[in-house]
Amino acid sequence: MATHKLLLLPGDGIGPEVMGEVRRLIDWLNAAGIAKFETDTGLVGGSAYDAHKVSISEGDMAKAKDADAIIFGAVGGPKWDAVPYDVRPEAGLLRLRKDLGLFANLRPAVCYPALADASSLKREAVEGLDIMIVRELTGGVYFGEPKTITDLGNGQKRAIDTQVYDTYEIERIARVAFDLARKRKNKVTSMEKRNVMKSGVLWNEVVTQVHKREYTDVTLEHQLADSGGMMLVKWPKQFDVIVTDNLFGDMLSDIAAMLTGSLGMLPSASLGEVDVKSKQRKALYEPVHGSAPDIAGQGLANPIAMISSFGMALRYSFDMGALADKVDAAIAAVLASGLRTADIKSEGTTAASTTQMGEAILKELQKLHA
């Protein structure tokens, strides 16, 4: 049995609490002989700043580069609002993405039947929802240069952020989206702002060319990103795979997250290029939710997004799709039983702490694997 090297980066706020439930799952998989994971841990974000005055140390970056996959919790909080910009907690995550070449961010939005009423939309709009947003992660306005604030004098300043995309960056993210669609409902919607942005014109052109050359069997449609946001809250089930740039992907995926009832429910994967020799790719898996410092240490955090992120690691890094399906089924079974953490609690359901939810999911998984 192959040994898989995992780096666990719990981070800040509720990160260590939800990561604890993933550790519980990993320990059981190892003990039961179902898989063999070798784990290491490190610091990132505010915890790294407190220890080393950086958002991630060189030692932990070396661990990240050596790992088969990274399981990441959450970073940030008011405690670090005043630290220098280049060592702010979020800079650690940005460096991991950039240095590891994690260009493709996969954010599924799945509405479990038991949670359809927790969405802000009507049940019929979200029940059975299963869409995937593919966000380009290492280009665009977040990384483009120049990125400056200039003092113009007379009390005036000018801030500049640059939106930059090259053809190859758009081609590779488009291929990820088309390949995913082939395993789903075979439909891709590309979203940009070609009506006002030159980068949107190029994005539209390149995605169209990749489709014509390599993926004519997949249905492709184009939509302006603002209209796409409107459609996500009007009738989200019209979509299958949405592919978009870094900025729009950031916003649209948060919109999609709330369709499911809670940010605490949604995982994500950030993937790099497939290595020609090893056939492996660098990958980082993290819940969509933030560090939620207001509830940290109280046992209120929902661990489902963190556990689901580990499930995505099983699927995309370790070719354990059947086991990932069982993790998803275990989560669905626990939700169907009426167990709820505070963020998804409703009348008639049973309150559960972070640990109680994690334990219940593990018990269901054990039943499914028996």
Side-chain angles (χ1 to χ4, degrees), residues 274-281:
V274 176
D275 184 82
V276 176
K277 292 183 179 179
S278 68
K279 304 302 180 185
Q280 301 299 308
R281 67 199 315 163

Side-chain angles (χ1 to χ4, degrees), residues 252-328:
L252 292 170
S253 55
D254 274 7
I255 293 172
M258 287 314 299
L259 302 178
T260 69
S262 171
L263 278 171
M265 293 297 300
L266 298 182
S268 74
S270 299
L271 309 177
E273 295 271 23
V274 176
D275 184 82
V276 176
K277 292 183 179 179
S278 68
K279 304 302 180 185
Q280 301 299 308
R281 67 199 315 163
K282 296 296 183 186
L284 180 148
Y285 300 90
E286 61 175 314
V288 169
H289 62 68
S291 61
D294 56 317
I295 62 168
Q298 300 176 46
L300 297 175
N302 187 344
I304 289 178
M306 187 81 258
I307 293 170
S308 295
S309 295
F310 178 67
M312 291 186 79
L314 295 175
R315 190 180 305 281
Y316 295 112
S317 282
F318 305 124
D319 196 26
M320 299 180 186
L323 182 57
D325 288 342
K326 289 179 180 178
V327 171
D328 291 341

Side-chain angles (χ1 to χ4, degrees), residues 28 34 62 83 140 147 201 249 301:
W28 175 71
I34 296 167
V83 305
K147 182 184 289 289
V201 173

Side-chain angles (χ1 to χ4, degrees), residues 46 49 76-85 87-90 293:
Y49 180 80
K79 178 182 177 182
W80 302 283
D81 282 350
V83 305
Y85 182 79
V87 291
R88 69 200 187 282
E90 295 78 11

Side-chain angles (χ1 to χ4, degrees), residues 24-39:
R24 186 198 307 275
L25 187 53
I26 292 170
D27 288 346
W28 175 71
L29 291 173
N30 283 339
I34 296 167
K36 192 173 181 182
F37 291 106
E38 179 184 299
T39 61

Side-chain angles (χ1 to χ4, degrees), residues 32-338:
I34 296 167
K36 192 173 181 182
F37 291 106
E38 179 184 299
T39 61
D40 200 351
T41 59
L43 299 175
V44 67
S47 60
Y49 180 80
D50 289 346
H52 307 296
K53 300 305 178 196
V54 292
S55 56
I56 186 167
S57 69
E58 295 303 321
D60 284 335
M61 273 304 308
K63 290 181 183 180
K65 291 175 180 178
D66 188 50
D68 295 321
I70 300 162
I71 312 297
F72 186 98
V75 293
K79 178 182 177 182
W80 302 283
D81 282 350
V83 305
Y85 182 79
D86 61 336
V87 291
R88 69 200 187 282
E90 295 78 11
L93 179 56
L94 292 177
R95 183 179 176 190
L96 284 163
R97 290 172 178 172
K98 195 69 174 178
D99 287 12
L100 298 178
L102 307 178
F103 72 92
N105 184 228
L106 278 52
R107 288 180 60 164
V110 176
C111 186
Y112 291 94
L115 291 184
D117 290 327
S119 172
S120 54
L121 299 189
K122 294 178 180 178
R123 171 178 279 273
E124 57 265 31
V126 296
E127 189 171 24
L129 178 70
D130 181 0
I131 62 178
M132 177 73 78
I133 295 183
V134 179
R135 168 190 172 193
E136 200 290 322
L137 204 57
T138 57
V141 74
Y142 291 173
F143 293 99
E145 296 290 346
K147 182 184 289 289
T148 61
I149 297 178
T150 304
D151 193 333
L152 303 177
N154 298 319
Q156 298 295 305
K157 293 183 179 181
R158 175 176 295 147
I160 297 175
D161 292 289
T162 306
Q163 170 84 343
V164 178
Y165 271 109
D166 291 340
T167 299
Y168 82 93
E169 293 175 296
I170 305 170
E171 286 178 335
R172 66 184 184 180
I173 196 69
R175 289 190 182 101
V176 170
F178 285 126
D179 286 338
L180 278 170
R182 279 177 168 168
K183 298 175 182 178
R184 294 170 52 91
K185 300 173 187 173
N186 224 39
K187 179 183 175 182
V188 170
T189 304
S190 175
M191 295 189 184
E192 28 64 14
K193 283 288 287 180
R194 63 189 179 277
N195 57 334
V196 292
M197 299 172 69
K198 287 295 186 181
S199 59
V201 173
L202 181 64
W203 185 282
N204 180 278
E205 175 186 305
V206 172
V207 172
T208 300
Q209 290 171 350
V210 171
H211 177 255
K212 186 176 181 180
R213 286 196 311 263
E214 305 170 38
Y215 297 95
T216 54
D217 57 303
V218 180
T219 299
L220 171 64
E221 63 180 23
H222 296 277
Q223 196 156 16
L224 296 177
D226 51 348
S227 173
M230 178 184 71
M231 288 300 173
L232 271 173
V233 296
K234 182 179 181 181
W235 192 249
K237 287 191 283 188
Q238 67 184 280
F239 299 113
D240 178 24
V241 175
I242 295 171
V243 62
T244 189
D245 75 5
N246 207 341
L247 175 61
F248 296 136
D250 196 355
M251 294 186 289
L252 292 170
S253 55
D254 274 7
I255 293 172
M258 287 314 299
L259 302 178
T260 69
S262 171
L263 278 171
M265 293 297 300
L266 298 182
S268 74
S270 299
L271 309 177
E273 295 271 23
V274 176
D275 184 82
V276 176
K277 292 183 179 179
S278 68
K279 304 302 180 185
Q280 301 299 308
R281 67 199 315 163
K282 296 296 183 186
L284 180 148
Y285 300 90
E286 61 175 314
V288 169
H289 62 68
S291 61
D294 56 317
I295 62 168
Q298 300 176 46
L300 297 175
N302 187 344
I304 289 178
M306 187 81 258
I307 293 170
S308 295
S309 295
F310 178 67
M312 291 186 79
L314 295 175
R315 190 180 305 281
Y316 295 112
S317 282
F318 305 124
D319 196 26
M320 299 180 186
L323 182 57
D325 288 342
K326 289 179 180 178
V327 171
D328 291 341
I331 292 169
V334 170
L335 292 173
S337 75

